[in-house]
Amino acid sequence: MKEKDMKRQEKAPAKVQSPKPSGEENRLFSAKNLKLLSRPFGADNPVTVQVLGICSALAVTVKLQPALVMAVSVIVVTGFSNLIISLLRNTIPPRIRIIVQLTVIATLVILVDQVLKAVAYDVSKQLSVFVGLIITNCIVMGRLEAFAMANKPWPAFLDGIGNGAGYGFILIVVAFLRELFGSGTLLGFKVIPESFYQAGYVNNGLFILPPMALIVLGVIIWVHRSFNPNLIEK
Amino acid sequence: MENLFSLFVRSIFVDNMVFAYFLGMCSYLAISKNVKTAFGLGLAVIFVMLITVPVNFLINKYLLVKGGLSWLSPSLSEVDLSFLSFIMFIAVIAAIVQLVEMVVERYSPALYSSLGIFLPLIAVNCAIMGASLFMQEREYSSLAESTTFALGSGIGWCLAIVGIAAIREKLKYSQVPAPLKGLGIAFIITGLMGVSFMCFLGIEL
């Protein structure tokens, strides 16, 4: 039985389009579907490899809390827009697909924005225009074009969640470093003990300033690529 | 007038779209391999921004904000449509980009062939959408103010992309560690350019 399963998985990537109603295909969390969730964290990360969605990524990473909220918002928007577009994919005329996609995304973003304003007003003020900018975040459009238009709803939903999470992961790493070194806190709690400051430790003010986000991200890409040599640009 | 000039300078240097808010980074990184195309894209962004921001300003002021509809009839003065602003702005931007593309193609084929490929890309450039959202967020009060802001932001963005394109052209001849090549070093250079732009921070006009 196990061998049979393994064989099917090997075959799986080749037949993305031809759905055979086998048990493996229909299981919600088959290995193939789980791969859609996990790939964006490593070899297929939307920010460091596909170079999508950097626009709104960096401005919200001064503190960990707005970065977390932003990550969750993007996950919601990518997941559900992928799901909706995938459900509609056979009825959308190809000529006007971009405007249909934009409408779906904009509607979801408005929902997220209204929820944030109602539930977490302070954070929503901190994020200011960047919630609205999820609309023009290339990750959302990119995944819709590249995946949701050609795949069934459930894998598309997982792909959206996975890519949103891959983006959120980078966001949180950058925010973690910036808040830790820039303010000496994490989520607003003091992490670096008082004795360090008395011994002469000083918070690095550069980490709070915008340019440091870019440099931190550059270093993350450096580290990521030295572990994945096949990603190195010629 | 003085106020407008200071807003203009601020939006180019201090509140630079790329270095202070990271807007339009996707096309900034993708199309900055040589100076000529970068400059073409920069011009297209200035152009589109200069049209979309004032139009969105009028829409925001006369349709979306609370009481904005009162010019239509006094009974509508309680209507608050501001939750529709995202969808409205993106629709205006997409429509105007399409329109500009058609007009330019009809009347100036030379400009069209040089900008051609970039124009559709601009619809999803976050700098454009960002400019409209900042215009709303900061509550610019007059058409002149929002137009000046749009012009300044566009020029700032253009300056940034031309700058990095020039540096990346020279970078071809230098030895960068292999994993840092391309994207990584572009980020770090942008960061350093941002640091240098920060020297404008303290300037009061």
Side-chain angles (χ1 to χ4, degrees), chain B residues 82-112:
Chain B
S82 51
F83 65 94
L84 282 178
S85 52
F86 294 162
I87 207 162
M88 214 53 200
F89 288 173
I90 194 72
V92 166
I93 291 169
I96 285 183
V97 167
Q98 196 90 94
L99 208 71
V100 167
E101 198 182 349
M102 284 193 272
V103 170
V104 171
E105 190 180 11
R106 172 74 182 74
Y107 291 104
S108 170
L111 183 65
Y112 180 75

Side-chain angles (χ1 to χ4, degrees), chain B residues 36-84:
Chain B
K36 222 175 151 204
T37 41
F39 190 57
L41 182 68
L43 283 185
V45 166
I46 297 179
F47 191 54
V48 174
M49 229 182 231
L50 207 51
I51 301 175
T52 54
V53 174
V55 170
N56 278 336
F57 171 78
L58 291 176
I59 286 183
N60 187 43
K61 188 165 182 194
Y62 292 109
L63 290 177
L64 297 176
V65 290
K66 193 175 176 198
L69 277 170
S70 54
W71 57 273
L72 210 58
S73 105
S75 59
L76 290 175
S77 62
E78 282 301 301
V79 180
D80 183 4
L81 291 178
S82 51
F83 65 94
L84 282 178

Side-chain angles (χ1 to χ4, degrees), chain A residues 62-152:
Chain A
V62 181
K63 290 259 152 54
L64 202 48
Q65 195 195 10
L68 276 171
V69 174
M70 186 71 183
V72 173
S73 319
V74 171
I75 291 173
V76 170
V77 174
T78 47
F80 283 97
S81 62
N82 260 16
L83 178 69
I84 293 171
I85 291 293
S86 173
L87 285 170
L88 294 173
R89 71 185 186 283
N90 294 325
T91 52
I92 301 175
R95 290 198 58 151
I96 59 157
R97 65 178 197 285
I98 303 243
I99 199 95
V100 174
Q101 290 166 358
L102 274 180
T103 319
V104 170
I105 299 169
T107 316
L108 284 167
V109 171
I110 289 176
L111 283 178
V112 167
D113 183 48
Q114 297 291 321
V115 169
L116 277 185
K117 271 188 187 145
V119 179
Y121 190 73
D122 294 340
V123 183
S124 136
K125 263 273 160 283
Q126 274 178 42
L127 289 174
S128 74
V129 301
F130 291 97
V131 179
L133 285 172
I134 299 176
I135 298 175
T136 48
N137 192 322
C138 344
I139 291 181
V140 189
M141 281 290 265
R143 292 326 290 173
L144 290 182
E145 278 286 293
F147 200 87
M149 289 300 280
N151 284 284
K152 287 201 289 181

Side-chain angles (χ1 to χ4, degrees), chain A residues 47-48 51 53-55 58-59 99 102-103 106-107 109-110 113-114 128-130 132-133 135-136 138 141 209-211 213-215 217-219 221-222 225-226 232-234, chain B residues 18-26 29 83-84 86-87 90 94 123-126 129-130 133-134 137 177-184 187-188 190-192 194-195 198 201:
Chain A
V47 178
T48 59
V51 205
I54 298 145
C55 324
L58 298 171
I99 199 95
L102 274 180
T103 319
T107 316
V109 171
I110 289 176
D113 183 48
Q114 297 291 321
S128 74
V129 301
F130 291 97
L133 285 172
I135 298 175
T136 48
C138 344
M141 281 290 265
L209 301 174
L214 291 162
I215 296 175
L217 190 60
V219 173
I221 290 172
W222 189 0
R225 291 199 176 170
S226 34
I232 292 173
E233 287 171 45
K234 292 273 148 30
Chain B
V18 175
F19 301 126
Y21 298 105
F22 315 105
L23 293 177
M25 288 299 285
C26 307
L29 290 169
F83 65 94
L84 282 178
F86 294 162
I87 207 162
I90 194 72
V124 284
N125 187 326
C126 354
M129 181 74 176
L133 289 173
F134 275 128
E137 165 109 356
L180 205 55
K181 260 187 194 147
L183 192 60
F187 270 120
I188 292 178
T190 313
L192 294 179
V195 171
M198 292 197 64
L201 257 186

Side-chain angles (χ1 to χ4, degrees), chain A residues 26 35 70 122 197 208 217 228:
Chain A
N26 288 338
K35 218 170 175 187
M70 186 71 183
D122 294 340
Y197 288 104
I208 300 180
L217 190 60
N228 299 277

Side-chain angles (χ1 to χ4, degrees), chain B residues 108-139:
Chain B
S108 170
L111 183 65
Y112 180 75
S113 58
S114 63
L115 289 183
I117 29 167
F118 301 126
L119 274 174
L121 267 180
I122 285 176
V124 284
N125 187 326
C126 354
I128 309 275
M129 181 74 176
S132 287
L133 289 173
F134 275 128
M135 176 272 297
Q136 187 195 32
E137 165 109 356
R138 294 178 189 161
E139 296 170 346

Side-chain angles (χ1 to χ4, degrees), chain A residues 14-32:
Chain A
K15 47 161 192 179
V16 180
Q17 285 286 17
S18 64
K20 233 186 205 171
S22 62
E24 179 65 30
E25 279 284 315
N26 288 338
R27 273 219 327 262
L28 285 184
F29 287 103
S30 60
K32 198 184 109 199

